[in-house]
Amino acid sequence: MTTTKPDAAVPTDEPRLALAALFDGHARELHRYLARRLDPASAEDLVAQTFLEAWQHWDRYRPEAGSPRAWLYGIATNLLRRHSRDEERRLRAYGKAGAMAPTDEPADTRADARVDASGQSAALATGLSALRAEERDVLLLVAWAGLTPAEVAEALSLNPPTVRTRLHRARAALRKHIGATAPQEHNHG
Amino acid sequence: MAEITDDRLDELLGGFRADVPEPSTQTIDDLRADLLAATVPPEVRPLAPDAVRPLRPTTPRGRRRALIGLLAAAAVVAALAIGAVAFLPHADEITVGGSHAVGLPPMPDKPINRAGELSRHVTMPKLGPGQYLYLRDATTQYPTASGPGGTVTGEQWVTYDPKDQWREHRTSTGEAQGGTDRNQPEDWRGPGTDIGNGNTAAMRALPSDPAQLYRWLAKKFAHDQDAPTKAVNYLFHSLYVDYSIPAATKAAMYEVLGYLPGVQVTRTTLPDHTQVTVLTRMYEGLRVQLFVDPRDGHVAGYRDIAAEDQNGVKAGYVILVGYNTMSVVDSIESRP
């Protein structure tokens, strides 16, 4: 799970300064999350779009009412939905290739190879690709962005029970998928 | 069939794609600078009367910027590309100096290079009602250790009115970094208000008077070390998407580049025999060049060259080269 840091202090007297503070506090972490979901180049575009979108809707920014991180991840998740087919194609490709990363991301190849030591990373990839997009969003916001379910609910404007349900379904589907496609894990745990 | 444990699932999720490359400091700095430039209050945004008003989709600049970052991090070049040899630089282009001062010095009394000469004939196409600005870019990346390279091609149709439809179509061949996902074509269509990322507004916000633009840059980088280099980088980055820049502002950019250190001005001939002016700066061990058509100030292309032997890359090796065209068409589907 991603290690998170407390929200940066956000001054409220000057919106552009507040925006800059938000950027300084969260841009790098957001980039990393989006790069995991897609790729570094797309992440760069999406980080830029996320903060511009935040600026365009600054009147909705209520730091006292919730987590700025959740707000930013909510915007980013909306933008990511344009790329959901790309993400699913990419995940399926990882699965078919035994979780080998595409050639534009050599570092991933090393990481995925380690994860794949038990033969389950490919199954994880195809399992993620098979999830409904809204379930995948919830799962990865928790697992990779480090949001709590309550923050995910805030980010996606959902009721907390809905988030918990989606999270439960996503995890159950993944467990089932990986168990079915990686039988060598039967004796694990 | 047995399901895996929750702990094992968490372990797998935590490790999957955990090694994605971190963004460079330059990438984050550039994103921040772009963001703040795009959010300048409207009351300080001058409008050039002859400004073309294209929407600026995020993708080309973002891809290119990401491409540069990834290329700078690439470890080893696999082989010299035969095609690249044709673009090897002339010996007189090699030396490019920078400055490490804090903040920009006062604007010199006289230009220190000839970039300002490009300002003399800057024009932008004028769009009539219903017309579109058609933009085509093609960037070829040559082989490196991270892949055999390839070509990314993009087409865009942009309009005056952000509420109108615009379209972007991109394809890639080979394994170019920044290419489309597994070489599948991407086709985007929608209102610019959905897809534009504010670059046009940021460019309109810039002063169109050279002295004012220099002061704007001095203020922007007042507390930065190596401010002249950052000012040059800012102007170069803006010029990669020069179709979003009003003509008067673009002319001012060329003027200001003439007063900044770290810029070298030479000439070369493109494969289509166009004579262009070459503006060169240094960036992370690369000689980063813009090809500017002196007849209209249009940025006709760009090229990145290894500046020194590094990680197996031979100095002078052309890593990527790209060309841009810009013209006016009468419908969103048509090409010149």
Side-chain angles (χ1 to χ4, degrees), chain B residues 277-329:
Chain B
T277 299
V278 184
L279 303 178
T280 301
R281 69 180 170 108
M282 294 296 294
Y283 178 84
E284 295 187 358
L286 298 173
R287 293 157 42 81
V288 176
Q289 300 182 321
L290 292 178
F291 301 143
V292 183
D293 189 332
R295 295 171 298 180
D296 58 8
H298 172 54
V299 177
Y302 40 81
R303 178 171 64 182
D304 292 351
I305 304 168
E308 57 197 24
D309 290 359
Q310 50 172 324
N311 297 326
V313 178
K314 297 293 185 186
Y317 181 76
V318 175
I319 294 178
L320 71 83
V321 63
Y323 300 105
N324 304 321
T325 61
M326 177 167 61
S327 49
V328 176
V329 295

Side-chain angles (χ1 to χ4, degrees), chain B residues 59 96 100 102 108 113 142 147 154 160 194 225-226 246 273 308 330:
Chain B
T59 307
V96 180
H100 296 280
V102 175
N113 67 60
Y142 292 104
Y160 276 119
D194 278 357
Q225 287 194 327
D226 212 3
H273 306 297
E308 57 197 24
D330 292 330

Side-chain angles (χ1 to χ4, degrees), chain B residues 238-257:
Chain B
S238 299
L239 287 164
Y240 283 134
V241 284
D242 74 323
Y243 60 84
S244 69
I245 307 172
T249 305
K250 185 157 55 170
M253 288 180 171
Y254 291 135
E255 290 269 11
V256 169
L257 282 170

Side-chain angles (χ1 to χ4, degrees), chain A residues 16 24 28 32 35-36 38 44-45 49 52 82 94 103 108 111-112 114-115 118 120 144 171 175 179-180, chain B residues 1-2 4 6 8 10 13-19 23 32 36 39 58 62 65-66 146 175 188 194 197:
Chain A
R16 288 182 78 229
D24 293 342
R28 187 172 288 276
R32 176 174 170 74
R36 285 181 88 173
L38 294 170
E44 193 176 329
D45 287 345
Q49 291 177 46
L52 282 161
R82 273 189 204 144
Y94 292 160
T103 54
D108 285 358
D112 290 347
R114 286 197 297 273
V115 173
S118 63
Q120 293 176 322
W144 289 357
R171 293 179 66 88
R175 282 199 308 268
Chain B
M1 177 177 63
I4 68 167
D6 278 345
R8 180 60 182 151
D10 287 341
L13 276 170
F16 187 64
R17 294 183 57 71
D19 267 10
R32 191 182 197 276
L36 295 181
T39 55
T58 61
R65 200 165 48 206
S146 58
E175 295 180 353
W188 295 74
D194 278 357
N197 79 345

Side-chain angles (χ1 to χ4, degrees), chain B residues 3-247:
Chain B
E3 293 183 3
I4 68 167
T5 63
D6 278 345
D7 286 347
R8 180 60 182 151
L9 180 60
D10 287 341
E11 184 184 345
L12 282 171
L13 276 170
F16 187 64
R17 294 183 57 71
D19 267 10
V20 290
E22 293 285 341
S24 68
T25 300
Q26 180 75 46
T27 295
I28 295 296
D29 287 350
D30 288 348
L31 283 169
R32 191 182 197 276
D34 286 351
L35 175 68
L36 295 181
T39 55
V40 173
E43 61 268 23
V44 299
R45 293 178 180 174
L47 283 174
D50 60 341
V52 174
R53 299 171 60 196
L55 301 168
R56 204 285 269 177
T58 61
T59 307
R61 185 180 179 190
R63 286 192 192 288
R64 175 176 161 68
R65 200 165 48 206
L67 180 61
I68 297 298
L70 288 166
L71 287 170
V76 180
V77 166
L80 268 172
I82 293 173
V85 174
F87 300 111
L88 285 172
H90 301 298
D92 62 351
E93 296 179 11
I94 293 295
T95 304
V96 180
S99 165
H100 296 280
V102 175
L104 277 186
M107 191 171 179
D109 293 334
K110 292 187 295 187
I112 58 177
N113 67 60
R114 299 176 65 181
E117 293 176 8
L118 290 167
S119 68
R120 293 174 185 165
H121 305 293
V122 174
T123 58
M124 291 290 284
K126 295 184 185 301
L127 293 184
Q131 288 188 314
Y132 287 79
L133 196 62
Y134 173 80
L135 310 159
R136 186 177 188 281
D137 59 273
T139 302
T140 297
Q141 175 196 334
Y142 292 104
T144 70
S146 58
T151 297
V152 180
T153 303
E155 294 176 291
Q156 296 168 73
W157 289 261
V158 299
T159 66
Y160 276 119
D161 189 341
K163 294 190 293 294
D164 285 347
Q165 291 271 308
W166 73 272
R167 182 179 170 214
E168 179 188 357
H169 181 75
R170 302 193 74 76
T171 58
S172 64
T173 60
E175 295 180 353
Q177 294 172 6
T180 57
D181 179 40
R182 301 187 71 78
N183 299 326
Q184 297 300 308
E186 290 179 346
D187 213 343
W188 295 74
R189 186 165 177 157
T193 46
D194 278 357
I195 302 174
N197 79 345
N199 192 66
T200 300
M203 292 301 102
R204 289 179 195 160
L206 294 176
S208 55
D209 173 77
Q212 288 181 14
L213 178 59
Y214 192 94
R215 285 196 292 273
W216 185 91
L217 290 166
K219 185 176 179 182
K220 178 179 178 65
F221 298 111
H223 305 295
D224 287 74
Q225 287 194 327
D226 212 3
T229 298
K230 290 186 176 177
V232 169
N233 291 350
Y234 181 86
L235 294 174
F236 264 63
H237 278 201
S238 299
L239 287 164
Y240 283 134
V241 284
D242 74 323
Y243 60 84
S244 69
I245 307 172

